């Protein structure tokens, strides 16, 4: 099966930066996705990486190293509304998308 | 937002009864998925569809069946519900398999008593 690991919880202060790490071991690789999920709501798509390097989208950036089976999501200038669960997901050789258990980020004033 | 509607949004049922959850999309996307989400496990794939009448199993398919008779509808059936199937069920759609993200419906909270 697939193995996708990310920290369970992180806490940061409003205006700060938080980095959420994700390591994976999957059968093949066809892309890595990050999703945001607020409590009681559906996951929403944040970013996609298929090649090594950094993808920047506003306050959010995502990095991928395929050789290390590693990605991170960087959240800058944290706002209270960024308090949510962040899900790392990897698409395997059969194009099935498997998810990590998610990292709950709490932003404090 | 992608046009995905799940019904019902909430359901309470008794052990041993059949249950069908519906996912309806207005995006004409080829791929549709059913996931369940449980604390500590994240989202786990139950079944998916890559076209009308074309379906395949995910990692937690036991006790579930699916049908897709039209592009826009993907049904998930629990033939005989068990308490272990108490969960939040999400339907998702994607336009393609390469590079295309999944977009999720709002979920169905199912409680089996």
């Amino acid at each position: 099966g697939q193995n996708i690991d990310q920290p369970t919880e992180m806490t940061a202060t409003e205006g700060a930066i938080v980095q959420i790490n994700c390591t994976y071991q999957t059968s093949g690789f066809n892309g890595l996705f990050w999703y945001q999920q607020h409590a009681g709501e559906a996951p929403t798509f944040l970013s996609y990486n298929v090649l090594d390097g950094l993808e920047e989208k506003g306050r959010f950036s995502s990095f991928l190293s395929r050789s290390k089976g590693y990605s991170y999501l960087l959240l800058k200038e944290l706002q209270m509304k960024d308090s949510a669960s962040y899900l790392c997901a990897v698409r395997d050789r059969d194009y099935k998308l498997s998810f990590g258990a998610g990292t709950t980020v709490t932003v404090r004033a | 937002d992608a046009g995905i509607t799940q019904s019902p949004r909430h359901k309470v049922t008794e052990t041993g009864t059949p249950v069908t959850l519906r996912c309806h999309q207005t995006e004409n996307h080829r791929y549709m998925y059913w996931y369940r989400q449980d604390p500590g496990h994240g989202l786990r794939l139950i079944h998916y569809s890559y076209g009308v009448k074309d379906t395949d199993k995910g990692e937690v398919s036991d006790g579930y069946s699916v049908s897709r008779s039209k592009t826009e509808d993907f049904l998930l059936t629990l033939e005989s519900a068990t308490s272990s199937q108490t969960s939040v069920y999400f339907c998702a759609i994607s336009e393609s398999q390469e590079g295309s993200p999944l977009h999720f419906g709002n979920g169905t909270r199912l409680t089996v008593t």
Side-chain angles (χ1 to χ4, degrees), chain A residues 5 7 10 17-18 23 33 36 38 41 43 53 55 57 62 66 86-87 100-102 104:
Chain A
D5 290 318
M10 301 183 76
I17 298 173
V18 69
T23 58
F33 298 80
Q36 180 190 61
H38 285 101
E41 298 183 7
E55 293 285 338
K57 196 185 286 189
S62 57
R66 287 172 297 169
Y86 292 85
L87 314 178
T104 299

Side-chain angles (χ1 to χ4, degrees), chain A residues 13-52:
Chain A
T13 305
E14 198 173 13
I17 298 173
V18 69
Q19 178 175 314
I20 306 169
N21 296 323
C22 172
T23 58
Y24 63 89
Q25 291 176 301
T26 57
S27 52
F29 179 83
N30 275 300
L32 186 143
F33 298 80
W34 284 95
Y35 283 81
Q36 180 190 61
Q37 185 177 25
H38 285 101
E41 298 183 7
T44 56
F45 168 68
L46 285 179
S47 69
Y48 169 67
N49 295 73
V50 66
L51 300 177
D52 291 351

Side-chain angles (χ1 to χ4, degrees), chain A residues 8-16 18 20 35-44 46 59-60 73 75-87 102-109:
Chain A
T8 304
E9 294 180 337
M10 301 183 76
T11 301
T13 305
E14 198 173 13
V18 69
I20 306 169
Y35 283 81
Q36 180 190 61
Q37 185 177 25
H38 285 101
E41 298 183 7
T44 56
L46 285 179
R59 294 188 297 113
F60 294 0
L73 179 69
L75 286 62
K76 293 178 272 190
E77 301 169 18
L78 279 173
Q79 302 176 10
M80 299 301 289
K81 67 179 181 179
D82 297 329
S83 291
S85 184
Y86 292 85
L87 314 178
T103 299
T104 299
V105 172
T106 302
V107 181
R108 298 177 305 189

